[in-house]
């Protein structure tokens, strides 16, 4: 097994912390924006759901952002999920607000319905940048660093 340079491990830890900070900073805004965009998309512009969306945003950050941070603080060899998978689970927060206020769900393409059957409003982020553009580069950098460390740890001399 090849050894990983300490500075490479430290770089991965730093990138993980930056990504976790970014998710925490932007997830709540994404929840509120998702509710607003869904209302507009189906023509319910007069419906004001900012208060319940804000409550859902706080809950999403408390649950999902914490789970993302916990995962990213875990050594990569012990991670059982991905931060994007956890981030995608936050879709239930804006969905619940929309369902509770009887906002009609749009017709979604078959692929989306099959891939994300619980996402009635088509909100599932395809990547970190869908939550916030600032997260796109952080997600890519962390993923590349994780792959590098993973491969380096398994390389034979």
């Amino acid at each position: 097994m090849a050894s990983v340079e300490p500075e490479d491990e430290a770089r991965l830890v730093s990138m993980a912390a930056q990504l976790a900070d970014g998710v925490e900073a932007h997830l709540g805004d994404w929840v509120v924006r998702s509710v607003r965009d869904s209302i507009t998309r189906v023509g319910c512009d007069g419906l004001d759901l900012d208060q319940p969306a804000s409550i859902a945003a706080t809950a999403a950050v408390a649950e999902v952002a914490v789970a993302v941070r916990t995962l990213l603080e875990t050594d990569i060899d012990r991670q059982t999920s991905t931060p994007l998978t956890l981030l995608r689970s936050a879709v239930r927060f804006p969905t619940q607000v929309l369902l509770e206020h009887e906002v009609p769900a749009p017709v979604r393409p078959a692929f989306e319905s099959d891939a994300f059957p619980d996402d009635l409003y088509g909100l599932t982020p395809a990547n970190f940048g869908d939550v916030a553009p600032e997260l796109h580069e952080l997600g890519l950098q962390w993923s590349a660093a994780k792959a590098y460390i993973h491969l380096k740890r398994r390389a034979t001399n």
Side-chain angles (χ1 to χ4, degrees):
M1 236 181 182
S3 65
V4 179
E5 297 295 326
E7 59 269 12
D8 292 334
E9 293 277 359
R11 191 172 304 116
L12 177 63
V13 168
S14 174
M15 288 177 187
Q18 290 174 45
L19 183 56
D21 291 345
V23 168
E24 185 175 347
H26 296 286
L27 181 59
D29 291 340
W30 174 82
V31 170
V32 172
R33 191 173 61 252
S34 294
V35 170
R36 287 179 182 159
D37 291 350
S38 295
I39 290 169
T40 300
R41 193 172 335 144
V42 297
C44 295
D45 294 324
L47 189 57
D48 180 5
L49 297 180
D50 282 354
Q51 183 179 7
S54 292
I55 293 167
T58 299
V61 171
E63 183 179 321
V64 177
V66 169
V68 169
R69 183 174 301 280
T70 299
L71 175 74
L72 289 170
E73 289 174 348
T74 302
D75 183 85
I76 62 170
D77 288 339
R78 294 188 334 216
Q79 292 178 358
T80 58
S81 186
T82 69
L84 185 57
T85 297
L86 294 175
L87 195 56
R88 286 176 174 161
S89 75
V91 92
R92 72 185 180 279
F93 293 93
T95 297
Q96 189 62 37
V97 171
L98 296 164
L99 285 172
E100 285 176 1
H101 293 86
E102 300 178 356
V103 174
V107 176
R108 296 184 304 139
F111 171 78
E112 283 183 22
S113 297
D114 292 343
F116 304 106
D118 296 330
D119 180 13
L120 305 176
Y121 295 90
L123 304 173
T124 300
N127 56 56
F128 290 103
D130 286 347
V131 173
E134 299 84 351
L135 296 180
H136 181 72
E137 193 69 28
L138 289 172
L140 289 176
Q141 290 173 346
W142 175 82
S143 296
K146 177 183 176 182
Y148 174 78
I149 297 294
H150 177 83
L151 290 173
K152 196 80 164 149
R153 285 180 180 178
R154 282 148 187 78
T156 56
N157 292 331

